[in-house]
Amino acid sequence: MRIAYTYDRPDADAPPADRHYADAGDRPVLDDMLTRRGVRPGDVVVVRALSDLGQGAASKRVQRILAGMDVAVEVAPMPDAKRGRKPRVERPGADVLAEIETVYRSAASVQRAVDFARKRTGQPVTRNNLWRWFGAATQTEKEGPSHG
């Protein structure tokens, strides 16, 4: 039987297996697996990284215990996720920019201006984009946070 064991990872990150065990903190679930026969001879414990079993010597100790129980340990690394920079938000045309600036400089909240800009441009606009395009929305933002 394939048994997935994860430590301090979201459930979605568990490798495919027949049973799943998830742990955090002092690894009580791992201790139960080892002492209360949560695994049987011939089982395969699947982890995302050997560090899920413990740090350094503790991981090697758990691997020896599992090997003594005739349980194999398999490492199934996370599938490559597309990582990288956030998509660049292109500066909209002058007419759209004027509409967004009107909302940004109005009495409306900055979040409302961000939401408006996202709808109007169809891009993932953030508060930082508005700051870069128009500067500070209000006088208090120009002064910055008080440190006193």
Side-chain angles (χ1 to χ4, degrees), residues 52-119:
D52 283 358
L53 299 175
Q55 295 179 349
S59 174
K60 293 193 184 311
R61 180 184 62 82
V62 170
Q63 290 175 57
R64 279 194 308 271
I65 292 170
L66 289 169
M69 297 168 70
D70 194 27
V71 174
V73 176
E74 179 183 312
V75 178
M78 289 290 295
D80 289 336
K82 286 192 175 182
R83 298 185 73 133
R85 299 179 64 163
K86 288 192 255 180
R88 181 176 172 86
V89 176
E90 298 296 326
R91 187 180 183 100
D95 55 337
V96 175
L97 211 53
E99 290 177 36
I100 295 170
E101 186 174 13
T102 303
V103 175
Y104 182 62
R105 300 231 182 263
S106 72
S109 70
V110 174
Q111 185 58 49
R112 182 167 179 257
V114 169
D115 293 340
F116 178 78
R118 285 178 181 164
K119 282 183 191 172

Side-chain angles (χ1 to χ4, degrees), residues 2 4-5 11 30 32 69 71 92 103 108-110 117 124 126 141 144 147:
R2 293 175 57 83
Y5 174 77
D11 289 342
L30 179 62
D32 285 346
M69 297 168 70
V71 174
V103 175
S109 70
V110 174
T126 65
E141 283 188 21
H147 297 287

Side-chain angles (χ1 to χ4, degrees), residues 3 12 27 31 36 45-46 51 82 87 99 114 116 125 132:
I3 300 168
R27 304 182 200 283
D31 292 338
R36 297 186 187 210
V45 174
V46 185
S51 62
K82 286 192 175 182
E99 290 177 36
V114 169
F116 178 78
V125 175
R132 191 171 59 248

